[in-house]
Amino acid sequence: TQKRFIVLDRKFKLPGDDGYSLTLKQDHEWASTKRRVLIILQTVDGLDLKNGELLSKPALLNAVKYARGLARNYNPDLPDFAFTVVNWNNRRHLNLHGQAKAEAELEFKARAQQLIAKLEPTHILFSGELSLLYPIKDSNLKNGWVHNIDGRKVTSTLDFSRLMEKKGYFANLLGFWCRHLSNLLIGKLPHSLADLELKPVLVDTIEKFDRVMLQWDKAKITGVDTETRNLTVLKNAIYTIQLAFDHMPSVGFVIPIDHPHADNPFSPEERIYIKQELRKKFGASKGPMLVTFNGIFDLRIIRKALKLDIIYHQLWEIMAGEHDLDENVSLMASIGIKMGGLAAVFTSYGNDFYISDATKFSKSERSTTGNVSPRDRDFLKYAAMDVVSILGIREKELERAAYQDIEGKNYRDIFERHVIYQMGDTVHQLSHLKNDGSLVNKKYLRAMCQPDSKLALAIKELNEEFRAFPEVQKANAQLLDEAGFKANSLFGAKQNSQWLFSFTKAAHKLKLFIDVCGLKAISQTATGQDAIDKEFIEHYKDRNFLVAKFGEFQVASKLLSTYIRGWYKKLVREIDGALDNHLRSDYKFFDVDTGRLASGDPNLQNIPSRGKLAKIIKEMFVTSDGCLQIRFDYSSHEVRGWSVVARDIVLANVFKAGQKLRQQWIKLKPVAKDLETLKAAGIIENAKLPLTLEDFAKLTAYIKANT
């Protein structure tokens, strides 16, 4: 049977509805349909306020239609639903504070309850913070859960209007919004771990440990996690290691190793034996696939403690799996929802173990692990769940992938190959990078922090050169005038000898580039003010000499503040850096929308490679005695690797086209030695490399005709 689409074609107003008094939208079959969904939008779009009508744009209507399609993937016989959409915020109140804001929210809550009583929905989707309407703890982490409240099914999701802010900057998160509504329509969280069973087992004798090692040999998949002394590389120890196996997935084995508490059941000799046996398992060329959450950390800790050069096991990294299923998860932090931790990810699958009131030992207490007995019941549950949960999440990730299509092809097999063969190997690699770090010359770095260093002098020279430009002097004079320094003032005729202009002040940069130079802004700040930012510099640097010079100054200033002073502080203050003079970067999956990796604190992927000042930064990187420093570039290797692993014909053809272009260029090189001659002969229009596509085509045709 052809199911009808929702149209929200009936407009209505609520009698006596003060405040915004918007015209609302409703499906004309609302009263006659058994299943009625009330969508409550926490924030009202500015255009809706201007037009006096909710949903004056079609975006939400399209999202609802898409959500119905998703729901039918799970239930092809999904019955009809009727929809009504109303607003939660009913007057301006975000400018209020304290009691005044609380009273406004109570007013909105009372209004919503009256609406629910009047409209009698069977289902409610709260697009915003559900705890405003119902006492749901951590409701932002429970978006998509289907609650049974007062005989109705209730779900929360992201604030729709916020997703449309900044010209739709967060619109990629609409996929989450649609999935959460889909859950409501099918009446449940489809990939739920709410009923996950947990059996913590403390391994406190060598006999028990040996039996666990026998289970390792039987397993095809093993969940692994560690509790450690701290987060360092050089001064760390494994307090406990946790294991869970696919053939007994509800059992989490907790093995104390170098736990400092008096209740550690093992003698020093027994701990040596345990490490030796674990070394055999982790160091074997074959064995179960390991499942980790933040394996970059756990793998390096295990290698260090067990004195292993390398771990050969295949790896399933839960964080990579989440990112592969929806790379937009990285945007969640931008709207205040942090999805990078195990607690948030596990909660998204319907289990609030890590955030519930019943949890006695929490993630925030893991730094105190050494003070808690390994026999402590709450600690055991917490530690065991760290491995039982990730085995469960892996299964649900595979389930989710089976409900997705890529170019008409089911995503599950592609997803599995990519997580194991591309991202798993990448996690192994990054774990080694985090462990080894990059050696820098601390003495050189300290010298570069001084006022008379090469970089400081270069910045001073750039600053003086910049001040000499007439446009900058004019901007400075106008700023002095606006500040009240007139010609007959204290400074008199020497007004221009006084300097007020500062490169660090936004208003001064606007004065120079917008007012004096007459350039137009390319983007705006969050407050709507014209921005002089990277985008501005990139746009004008080849058209305006002053902008290009300012770009050089910005780069030099960042080199000094970030790469010199910032890195020196890290080396001095952090335990690892102070001991071995190595900078160690953090590598993350959730920070880049394109699926490529991000490094930070410090960002070693963004070291300047060109320009006269880049050499100053490069000189700080040195090698250990007896080693050579080499340079190589992966050249988009993640994308090429993915195309091979996923057997992606579309991506493969892109690289094939590039390969053909390169082969053609090799043939062209002898002819193209003198581009100026070719230009003079009228064969090409521009003599600069890289050639434009038009000139490349003309040159190719010329060679074909003359060879």
Side-chain angles (χ1 to χ4, degrees):
T1 304
Q2 180 66 38
K3 301 288 184 184
R4 68 173 185 82
F5 282 120
I6 134 151
V7 289
L8 289 173
D9 56 352
R10 178 175 174 264
K11 297 181 181 180
F12 72 101
K13 275 197 171 188
L14 297 171
D17 191 23
D18 298 327
Y20 288 149
S21 190
L22 296 169
T23 297
L24 307 177
K25 298 286 183 70
Q26 187 180 78
D27 204 329
H28 70 278
E29 296 181 2
W30 178 267
S32 61
T33 305
K34 291 182 179 179
R35 298 166 186 84
R36 299 178 297 278
V37 180
L38 176 64
I39 299 177
I40 304 175
L41 302 180
Q42 180 175 335
T43 307
V44 180
D45 184 88
L47 186 61
D48 289 351
L49 287 177
K50 184 178 178 181
N51 295 334
E53 180 179 304
L54 204 59
L55 305 184
S56 53
K57 293 185 290 191
L60 186 134
L61 178 59
N62 294 333
V64 172
K65 289 178 179 179
Y66 185 74
R68 284 178 65 92
L70 291 177
R72 286 199 176 120
N73 286 339
Y74 293 94
N75 180 8
D77 299 318
L78 187 75
D80 282 338
F81 287 82
F83 292 79
T84 294
V85 184
V86 302
N87 55 300
W88 168 267
N89 289 351
N90 200 34
R91 63 180 171 88
R92 188 167 177 263
H93 82 297
L94 295 178
N95 59 316
L96 304 177
H97 300 281
Q99 185 64 25
K101 187 177 180 182
E103 287 177 0
E105 290 176 348
L106 285 173
E107 175 190 316
F108 301 158
K109 181 176 180 179
R111 174 178 174 272
Q113 289 169 338
Q114 290 171 3
L115 277 168
I116 292 168
K118 180 179 177 63
L119 295 169
E120 297 184 331
T122 58
H123 297 66
I124 298 173
L125 177 75
F126 195 94
S127 183
E129 181 67 57
L130 183 59
S131 59
L132 291 170
L133 182 60
Y134 295 112
I136 304 292
K137 184 186 175 187
D138 297 306
S139 61
N140 274 344
L141 293 179
K142 296 176 181 176
N143 284 330
W145 285 33
V146 180
H147 309 276
N148 289 303
I149 302 175
D150 299 332
R152 298 181 177 89
K153 292 190 180 298
V154 179
T155 300
S156 63
T157 186
L158 310 177
D159 186 341
F160 190 89
S161 297
R162 283 210 61 196
L163 302 187
M164 308 310 292
E165 289 175 358
K166 297 184 179 180
K167 300 178 182 178
Y169 178 77
F170 302 113
N172 280 0
L173 292 173
L174 284 172
F176 289 89
W177 197 97
C178 294
R179 287 197 293 273
H180 298 155
L181 175 55
S182 171
N183 295 350
L184 181 64
L185 299 183
I186 63 175
K188 63 180 181 180
L189 186 65
H191 308 292
S192 175
L193 290 169
D195 298 325
L196 187 72
E197 191 179 353
L198 174 66
K199 297 177 182 175
V201 174
L202 176 65
V203 180
D204 54 2
T205 67
I206 291 299
E207 291 74 23
K208 284 185 181 178
F209 173 76
D210 288 338
R211 288 199 293 272
V212 172
M213 292 299 95
L214 291 175
Q215 299 303 328
W216 175 292
D217 294 333
K218 293 179 184 178
K220 293 181 180 178
I221 300 169
T222 297
V224 179
D225 187 56
T226 61
E227 296 302 324
T228 61
R229 177 189 296 155
N230 51 46
L231 301 178
T232 67
V233 174
L234 303 176
K235 291 290 184 178
N236 213 335
I238 296 180
Y239 284 174
T240 65
I241 188 167
Q242 295 86 255
L243 303 172
F245 307 112
D246 57 335
H247 59 285
M248 46 195 318
S250 62
V251 182
F253 295 101
V254 181
I255 308 169
I257 301 182
D258 290 326
H259 200 295
H261 197 276
D263 281 346
N264 189 331
F266 296 115
S267 67
E269 294 74 22
E270 288 174 324
R271 294 179 208 176
I272 292 172
Y273 170 77
I274 289 171
K275 288 180 184 178
Q276 288 173 342
E277 293 303 304
L278 287 173
R279 188 174 191 274
K280 293 176 188 176
K281 301 301 183 187
F282 281 100
S285 58
K286 292 181 179 180
M289 180 172 70
L290 307 180
V291 180
T292 61
F293 194 99
N294 191 18
I296 294 174
F297 175 82
D298 291 304
L299 291 172
R300 71 174 173 84
I301 294 298
I302 291 169
R303 288 196 311 271
K304 193 85 174 176
L306 303 183
K307 299 179 181 178
L308 288 169
D309 292 326
I310 192 169
I311 293 174
Y312 295 95
H313 297 266
Q314 287 184 338
L315 189 73
W316 185 285
E317 172 55 51
I318 294 295
M319 295 169 71
E322 291 298 302
H323 198 276
D324 275 11
L325 287 166
D326 192 334
E327 66 188 18
N328 298 302
V329 71
S330 58
L331 265 178
M332 283 291 201
S334 303
I335 61 169
I337 302 175
K338 294 185 178 180
M339 289 299 297
L342 179 56
V345 173
F346 195 37
T347 304
S348 74
Y349 287 95
N351 196 313
D352 62 352
F353 172 86
Y354 291 110
I355 61 174
S356 70
D357 292 332
T359 303
K360 305 299 183 188
F361 191 93
S362 66
K363 288 287 181 191
S364 62
E365 296 176 280
R366 60 187 313 170
S367 61
T368 66
T369 300
N371 301 327
V372 179
S373 167
R375 299 185 183 278
D376 181 271
R377 191 167 186 160
D378 294 313
F379 167 73
L380 275 179
K381 284 172 63 179
Y382 161 83
M385 184 59 94
D386 277 357
V387 282
V388 170
S389 64
I390 58 178
L391 285 188
I393 293 171
R394 176 184 173 275
E395 291 298 318
K396 296 303 174 183
E397 287 179 342
L398 288 165
E399 274 184 22
R400 285 176 60 192
Y403 280 91
Q404 295 185 27
D405 287 331
I406 302 292
E407 298 259 331
K409 189 185 295 184
N410 188 274
Y411 185 46
R412 190 203 179 281
D413 291 344
I414 300 170
F415 168 72
E416 185 172 20
R417 287 199 301 271
H418 183 229
V419 175
I420 296 173
Y421 298 110
Q422 176 69 17
M423 300 315 296
D425 288 352
T426 300
V427 171
H428 275 299
Q429 171 201 9
L430 295 181
S431 180
H432 283 276
L433 283 175
K434 178 70 177 180
N435 186 81
D436 299 341
S438 298
L439 180 62
V440 296
N441 185 333
K442 187 187 285 186
K443 186 177 179 180
Y444 172 82
L445 202 53
R446 184 170 58 245
M448 292 302 295
C449 291
Q450 305 306 312
D452 59 348
S453 70
K454 288 187 286 184
L455 185 56
L457 292 175
I459 292 172
K460 184 179 179 182
E461 184 181 325
L462 273 170
N463 194 16
E464 291 172 354
E465 184 182 352
F466 207 83
R467 285 189 181 195
F469 290 113
E471 296 90 342
V472 181
Q473 292 180 0
K474 183 177 179 181
N476 184 64
Q478 290 183 13
L479 289 169
L480 286 168
D481 282 341
E482 291 169 8
F485 298 125
K486 303 298 181 185
N488 58 357
S489 70
L490 176 66
F491 302 111
K494 295 183 178 180
Q495 179 190 26
N496 284 335
S497 67
Q498 303 303 319
W499 200 260
L500 189 61
F501 182 88
S502 171
F503 296 113
T504 62
K505 293 185 177 179
H508 292 196
K509 290 183 283 187
L510 288 171
K511 171 66 70 177
L512 171 62
F513 292 115
I514 305 299
D515 296 348
V516 175
C517 295
L519 302 176
K520 291 185 178 179
I522 305 301
S523 59
Q524 281 73 42
T525 65
T527 59
Q529 188 180 38
D530 288 342
I532 309 298
D533 51 13
K534 286 182 182 178
E535 195 176 350
F536 182 91
I537 295 170
E538 192 63 33
H539 182 78
Y540 286 112
K541 68 179 183 181
D542 295 327
R543 312 177 193 189
N544 185 290
F545 184 72
L546 202 60
V547 175
K549 274 292 173 187
F550 175 66
E552 286 182 33
F553 179 83
Q554 290 281 78
V555 169
S557 298
K558 184 174 181 181
L559 294 183
L560 182 59
S561 63
T562 301
Y563 297 99
I564 301 296
R565 292 173 180 159
W567 289 4
Y568 182 69
K569 284 180 183 177
K570 284 186 71 66
L571 284 183
V572 171
R573 294 176 181 177
E574 293 186 357
I575 295 174
D576 290 330
L579 287 170
D580 68 358
N581 296 336
H582 282 67
L583 286 171
R584 291 177 171 85
S585 195
D586 289 329
Y587 297 93
K588 301 175 182 179
F589 299 99
F590 283 23
D591 287 17
V592 183
D593 292 344
T594 61
R596 303 185 79 175
L597 299 165
S599 77
D601 196 31
N603 183 356
L604 295 181
Q605 291 176 316
N606 199 29
I607 298 169
S609 58
R610 296 178 180 85
K612 59 185 179 183
L613 297 177
K615 188 177 179 182
I616 295 174
I617 301 301
K618 288 180 180 179
E619 283 181 13
M620 76 172 70
F621 292 95
V622 294
T623 62
S624 303
D625 290 344
C627 295
L628 290 173
Q629 193 174 74
I630 62 171
R631 179 184 182 276
F632 57 93
D633 191 338
Y634 284 127
S635 187
S636 303
H637 82 295
E638 305 108 315
V639 182
R640 290 188 292 117
W642 295 343
S643 67
V644 173
V645 170
R647 301 171 193 167
D648 190 318
I649 302 302
V650 176
L651 267 179
N653 286 338
V654 170
F655 285 102
K656 275 189 179 179
Q659 193 176 42
K660 285 182 180 178
L661 285 171
R662 180 163 180 78
Q663 289 167 352
Q664 287 179 13
W665 175 245
I666 290 170
K667 291 179 182 178
L668 292 177
K669 274 181 102 175
V671 183
K673 280 181 182 176
D674 190 351
L675 294 177
E676 290 293 342
T677 303
L678 293 169
K679 181 182 177 183
I683 298 166
I684 59 175
E685 290 185 13
N686 297 296
K688 287 184 178 180
L689 289 175
L691 292 177
T692 63
L693 288 174
E694 292 81 3
D695 279 346
F696 189 81
K698 289 175 184 176
L699 194 51
T700 303
Y702 171 79
I703 290 173
K704 231 180 205 179
N706 292 279
T707 56

